[in-house]
Amino acid sequence: MSKAEAKKIIEKLRDEIRHHDRLYYIDNKPKISDHEYDRLMRQLIDLEKDHPDLVTPDSPTQRVGGEPVEGFPAVRHIVQMLSMDNTYSHDELKKFDKRVKKGLETEKVEYIVEPKYDGASISLLYEDGLFIKGATRGNGVQGDDASANLKTIRSIPLKMEIIKGKIPKRIEVRGEVYIDIKGFNQVNKEKEKADEEPFANPRNAAAGSLKLLDPKIAAMRHLNVFIYAIGACEGCDFKTHEEVLEFLKEAGFNVNPDHKKCATIDEVIQYCDQWEKKKDKLPYHIDGMVAKVNSLRAQRSLGATSKAPRWMIAYKFPAEQKETLLRDIIVQVGRTGTLTPVAIMDPVSVSGSTVSRATLHNFDEIERKDIRIGDHVIIEKSGEIIPQVIEAITSKRTGKEKRFKIPTHCPDCGSKVIRLPDEVAFRCDDVSCPTQLKQRVLHFVSRNAMDIEGMGDAVVDQLVDKRLIKDYGDIYSLKASQVVKLERLAEKSARNLIDGIEESKERELSRLIFGLGIRHVGIHAARILADKFGSIETIGTQKRGDLEDLHEIGPVMASSIEKFFSSQHNRTVLTKLKDAGCKMKGMAKKKAKGPLAGKTVVLTGSLTSLSRGETERLIAEHGGVPSSSVSKKTDFVVVGDSPGSKFDKAKKLGIKIINEEEFKKLLR
Ligand code: IVH
C-alpha cells in the first residue's frame, strides 16, 4: 500500500471512529456493536504502526495507552474560573431575579436553565480546533494539567468540528467531568474488593479520577463530560448563552439537551421543580439547576463579584431523604477511647450511592431524637457526603422497638465506660483496650509520625491480639523471631519491618511527639512544642499555664498535654522509647538553612501529591516555618484545591501566592 493510500484509509477510519464515539458517548445512540468498534480501532492501530509518521495527536488512538505521568504541572487559565452563588428556595430565586432586573434596569430578562452537575469542573484549550491541553479548576486562577486523563474521555473531541468553514483560533471550553451512577457504583465495588476506602460521592470519584497518575486507570472509570461555557475565545462572536451552547454542540462537544430558555423567573422555578421531581431518572447525579442570564451583553453589564458572576445562580435541590429500617446500633471505639454509636440500616440508595451505616455522633443525639432499634427512620446525606439519621417515624412503631442502652462497659475490652464532666462523649478509659491500642499503634507508626513501613493493619492486629505489644513502646523490643511467625508476613518483609523499626529511632522529635497521640496535638502543634522545648522531658514538666502562653496552643490542648504527661502509664511508655534509643531530644534550633530559610509559609486548600502534614514537614525541613494563619508576616501562601479564606486574605495583603508545582520547585 502506498503512503498516499494508507493516509486516505487512516483518515477515513478516524472519521468513522469519531462519528461512532459521538453516537455512543454524546447522542447515546450507538449504531455498531462494541466488537465492530474494536475492529475499526484495531485496523487504525495497525495502519498507524506501519506508518508511524502518519500518527497525529488528534487520532482516536492517542486517547488511551499513554504512559503514567509524573505529576500535574500547573496551568494558568486565560480567563479565571469563578465559582457560583447558591440558592435553596423559590424566594431566593425571585430575589436573584430582582437583583438582575435592577442591575440591568429592565423588567424583561431571559434565562437559560440547565442541570447542575455534581462533578469536577475543567477547562479545555483548543488551538485551530485541536485539543492542546485540559486542566482542573484548581484555585480558579490556575489548575493542574489533567490532559492525559481528560484525553481518555471519548466525548471530549481531540479535534473540533469546523462550522461554516470557521474555527476559533484559540478557545477555552468549560465543563464538568462526571461519573454516572453505574460507573460510580462499579468503581466503589472495585475499591472495596481491593480493600480501599470507597468514594463518598460521585463528585469525589470524578475529581479523584482526574488526579490519577496512570491514564489507563482513569480510562476504566467511565468518566464523561458536559460542556456548558466558554472561557477565553479568539474568533468568537456570540450574542447569547443559547448561541454558545448551540455552537459547542455543533463543534462536537457534549452539551446537555435538558436546557431550557425561560422568559420569566416563574418559568425558571417551574423548570427547576420539574427536574427536582424527575432527577432520579437521570443516569447521573445532579444536585440542582443553574439559571444563567441569556444575553451575553447583559452578563457583561452585570459582571461578577470576586467569587462569582452576578448573572448566574444555582438552585440547589433539598437534600434527598429516604426511609429505611434501623436494624441495630453498634458502638465503635476510637483511638482516644471515644465511643461512637453507629446506625446499621437496611441498604438504601440516597443521592447516588447506597447507604447502610450512618454515624449517630453521640449518645445524647440518640436520646434527643428518640431513635430506637427497629424504627423506620428518615436518612439524608448532609452536603451529599455523610449520611445522617434525621428522625424516627414514630407513627410506624409497633411497640417492638428497643431503646438503645448506653454501654456501661467498652464493647471491645469490657472495661468500665466513663464520661468526663465537661464532655459529651463517653469513653473507654482503659489504656490497654485492644481496639484503642491498635489505633494508637497505627497512629504512632504512620507516615507523619514514626513512619514505620510494613506495619499496616494486619500486622498491628496480630501484634496486639497475640499480646506481643501492650503499648507502642513495645514495638522496639520486638524480635525478628517473633515477627517472622506472624501470618502473611514473608521472611523478607519481616526483616524489612525489623529494619524499619530500627530506622525509625532516628525520626526527629516533632514526629515522635505527634506519634504519642496526645489528644488535640496534631503535627503542627507537635512541631511548635519540639521547637520551643527541645525535649520530651522538658515538655513533660510544663504546667498548663506555660503551655497556654505559646502562640497557637489553646487551653484545651494545654490541658490535654498536661494530662498526658501526668499519667503513670504514659510515663512508662516514654521510658521504653527512651531506653530503646528513640530521639527524645531535638537538635538545638540552629539558624535555619535551606531554600525556605526563615520564611513563614501557610498552606490553604489541598495539594494533589502531599498531605497537609507532609507539606508542613517539608517546609520545616527546608528551613521554613509552617504557620496556620495568614498575616503580614507571612512570606508565601501555598494554594491547593478548594482553598479557604486564607487565600482571600493573602490576596488582600498582597502576599506571594504559589501553587503546588511552584512550591515543589522552590524545594528543589
Ligand atoms: S457554569 C462560574 N454551569 O458548579 C462557574 N457550572 O458550584 C460556573 N457546575 O464550579 C460555571 N453544573 O463546576 C456551570 N450547568 C453548569 C454547572 C456548573 C455544575 C459546577 C461548576 C462550578 C460549580 C459551582
Side-chain angles (χ1 to χ4, degrees), residues 139 142 596 601-604 607 635-640 647 655-666:
N139 59 21
Q142 56 188 28
L596 295 176
V601 187
V602 174
L603 166 70
T604 175
L607 302 186
D635 293 287
F636 298 110
V637 172
V638 186
V639 179
F647 179 49
I655 285 156
K656 188 164 174 155
I657 294 168
I658 55 173
N659 65 19
E660 185 168 350
E661 244 356 85
E662 289 165 327
F663 171 64
K664 285 191 191 156
K665 229 184 249 166
L666 264 182

Side-chain angles (χ1 to χ4, degrees), residues 236-422:
C236 293
D237 178 25
F238 303 111
K239 298 213 161 32
T240 61
H241 180 56
E242 190 181 25
E243 276 179 25
V244 170
L245 293 180
E246 192 51 37
F247 159 80
L248 288 168
K249 192 172 145 219
E250 281 182 29
F253 293 100
N254 196 18
V255 175
N256 194 311
D258 296 323
H259 61 264
K260 189 185 172 197
K261 186 154 69 180
C262 298
T264 63
I265 196 69
D266 288 332
E267 256 185 62
V268 171
I269 291 173
Q270 207 183 8
Y271 193 59
C272 290
D273 287 353
Q274 199 178 315
W275 272 107
E276 187 181 334
K277 283 195 202 98
K278 56 181 188 187
K279 67 178 189 338
D280 289 339
K281 297 208 169 67
L282 289 171
Y284 47 88
H285 180 235
I286 62 172
D287 58 354
M289 301 297 283
V290 184
K292 301 175 179 175
V293 169
N294 193 19
S295 152
L296 299 193
R297 183 192 286 184
Q299 289 185 4
R300 280 190 294 271
S301 152
L302 287 163
T305 64
S306 63
K307 284 205 178 119
R310 290 197 190 86
W311 46 268
M312 169 192 314
I313 201 91
Y315 171 72
K316 298 284 279 274
F317 297 140
E320 189 183 0
Q321 296 194 335
K322 280 282 172 74
E323 183 187 323
T324 185
L325 191 68
L326 191 144
R327 295 264 171 204
D328 198 4
I329 295 176
I330 60 162
V331 176
Q332 280 179 347
V333 186
R335 169 163 66 86
T336 53
T338 311
L339 304 188
T340 308
V342 177
I344 305 294
M345 300 161 301
D346 280 353
V348 60
S349 158
V350 198
S351 308
S353 67
T354 304
V355 170
S356 58
R357 292 163 79 95
T359 169
L360 292 165
H361 303 289
N362 54 57
F363 300 119
D364 284 358
E365 174 132 331
I366 302 180
E367 215 147 278
R368 189 170 55 79
K369 291 184 174 166
D370 186 20
I371 292 166
R372 304 179 191 177
I373 297 167
D375 263 339
H376 286 266
V377 289
I378 300 287
I379 61 164
E380 89 175 24
K381 282 213 213 139
S382 70
E384 309 285 354
I385 301 179
I386 305 155
Q388 310 272 348
V389 176
I390 302 296
E391 60 180 1
I393 311 174
T394 48
S395 59
K396 286 204 173 171
R397 281 196 179 144
T398 60
K400 285 193 183 140
E401 295 75 18
K402 276 193 261 148
R403 278 180 198 274
F404 175 77
K405 282 202 200 86
I406 298 176
T408 50
H409 292 84
C410 169
D412 291 326
C413 72
S415 307
K416 250 189 133 132
V417 162
I418 58 151
R419 186 186 209 178
L420 298 176
D422 52 345

Side-chain angles (χ1 to χ4, degrees), residues 80-86 114-122 137 174-176 228-229 241 287 289-290 292 307-309 311-312 314 316:
Q80 192 180 345
M81 293 178 83
L82 291 171
S83 188
M84 202 186 323
D85 287 333
N86 288 325
E114 349 173 316
K116 185 172 188 312
Y117 321 105
D118 197 14
S121 50
I122 46 116
R137 175 178 181 274
R174 303 271 161 89
E176 195 91 351
Y228 45 60
H241 180 56
D287 58 354
M289 301 297 283
V290 184
K292 301 175 179 175
K307 284 205 178 119
W311 46 268
M312 169 192 314
K316 298 284 279 274

Side-chain angles (χ1 to χ4, degrees), residues 520-543:
H520 309 294
V521 176
I523 182 73
H524 185 63
R527 215 164 273 131
I528 295 173
L529 292 169
D531 284 350
K532 175 72 192 166
F533 300 112
S535 80
I536 297 267
E537 205 178 333
T538 320
I539 301 171
T541 57
Q542 300 305 309
K543 288 279 150 283

